[in-house]
Amino acid sequence: CRASAAKLAESGIRHIRDGAVPFAFRRAGELYAAHGIRTMMLCGRRKPGPWPQLLDEAGIDDELAGIRGVPAGAVSALEGPNEYDISRPPTDADWVARLQRYHKAVYEKAKADPALKHLPVVGPSLCSEDAYAKVGDLTAWIDFSCLHLYLSGRHPGTPGWGGNGYGSIPWARQ
């Protein structure tokens, strides 16, 4: 809505994160044209059906085609799937390999596309230290890491709440 866009602009926000879906492509173009607000597009389409569904690896080309259609300058980056470790179907025993394949395909296809190759690709977000350990090293397929550091009632200088300082800013920057 226009009022919400105006509030974003008034607040000084210049970057947002949104899903790589048709209505978001249109919104990204409008926000950029009206207010200079850029969008990081979150890739991670799911198969049709009741929530939660598997990542739809066959849908990556559609996601990237939609992003390619957003006006130049409106998209600031691409990001891998959001919190798939907790938003996958409980029956997805192969979630680690599926997430790895999905993210690698997004990276490789974007970097091979002349219209998208300039966009940084941000790693997928995960919700636990254990999930990061399971997914492993994706540095060959990311330009930047994704940090979902929810401090909740803690202050930014917290020493963390998990082993080795997990949950702190220093741990996340390792």
Side-chain angles (χ1 to χ4, degrees), residues 86-100:
I86 65 165
S87 67
R88 69 186 190 278
T91 56
D92 186 8
D94 195 33
W95 74 270
V96 170
R98 186 179 324 284
L99 176 62
Q100 290 168 335

Side-chain angles (χ1 to χ4, degrees), residues 116-127:
L116 302 175
K117 68 181 181 182
H118 70 284
L119 293 172
V121 177
V122 178
S125 63
L126 299 167
C127 296

Side-chain angles (χ1 to χ4, degrees), residues 31-161:
L31 283 170
Y32 185 67
H35 305 288
I37 297 171
R38 301 181 74 205
T39 302
M40 179 165 58
M41 287 289 172
L42 179 60
C43 298
R45 293 253 176 106
R46 305 296 184 103
K47 292 187 176 195
W51 184 261
Q53 284 296 333
L54 298 172
L55 288 168
D56 184 3
E57 295 171 66
I60 294 170
D61 290 334
D62 287 339
E63 281 181 308
L64 296 179
I67 294 166
R68 198 179 309 108
V70 176
V75 176
S76 59
L78 307 177
E79 182 181 334
N82 183 55
E83 299 179 351
Y84 192 65
D85 56 320
I86 65 165
S87 67
R88 69 186 190 278
T91 56
D92 186 8
D94 195 33
W95 74 270
V96 170
R98 186 179 324 284
L99 176 62
Q100 290 168 335
R101 281 191 314 268
Y102 196 96
H103 185 78
K104 289 174 184 179
V106 167
Y107 183 89
E108 289 170 353
K109 289 176 182 228
K111 295 304 181 180
D113 186 321
L116 302 175
K117 68 181 181 182
H118 70 284
L119 293 172
V121 177
V122 178
S125 63
L126 299 167
C127 296
S128 72
E129 187 173 14
D130 182 56
Y132 281 101
K134 286 178 181 174
V135 171
D137 186 359
L138 294 176
T139 55
W141 300 278
I142 64 171
D143 297 312
F144 296 98
S145 295
C146 182
L147 177 61
H148 279 210
L149 194 54
Y150 300 112
L151 298 174
S152 300
R154 298 168 181 92
H155 59 84
T158 183
W161 51 89

Side-chain angles (χ1 to χ4, degrees), residues 1-9 23 26-27 30-31 34-35 37:
C1 111
R2 290 176 198 235
S4 297
K7 292 286 185 188
L8 279 174
F23 70 85
R26 183 177 55 256
R27 179 171 45 218
E30 291 169 357
L31 283 170
H35 305 288
I37 297 171

